[in-house]
Amino acid sequence: MIRVQAIVANLERRSVLENTVKLAVVAPLLDLSGLFLPPFYISTEDSIEIEAET
């Protein structure tokens, strides 16, 4: 828990995106709980490109 608090305190010092905060806080907790090991698998959102013609 002290490690997570230190991560959040460090991130508060600069402007960061929501996904960065989620990764920094949630990833260590998932690792500690063993959720990066089989039978569990992670996936990320697919990125998309949006183009507009003017």
Side-chain angles (χ1 to χ4, degrees):
M1 187 58 129
I2 294 171
R3 178 183 167 144
V4 172
Q5 291 172 342
I7 291 170
V8 172
N10 187 42
L11 292 173
E12 287 177 342
R13 294 186 184 126
R14 61 183 68 82
S15 176
V16 293
L17 299 174
E18 179 183 358
N19 287 339
T20 305
V21 174
K22 284 188 213 176
L23 182 62
V25 173
V26 175
L29 296 175
L30 293 175
D31 182 38
L32 287 173
S33 63
L35 293 176
F36 284 134
L37 300 172
F40 304 106
Y41 297 95
I42 62 167
S43 63
T44 59
E45 297 177 357
D46 294 331
S47 60
I48 59 169
E49 281 189 37
I50 299 175
E51 294 183 16
E53 291 184 23
T54 56

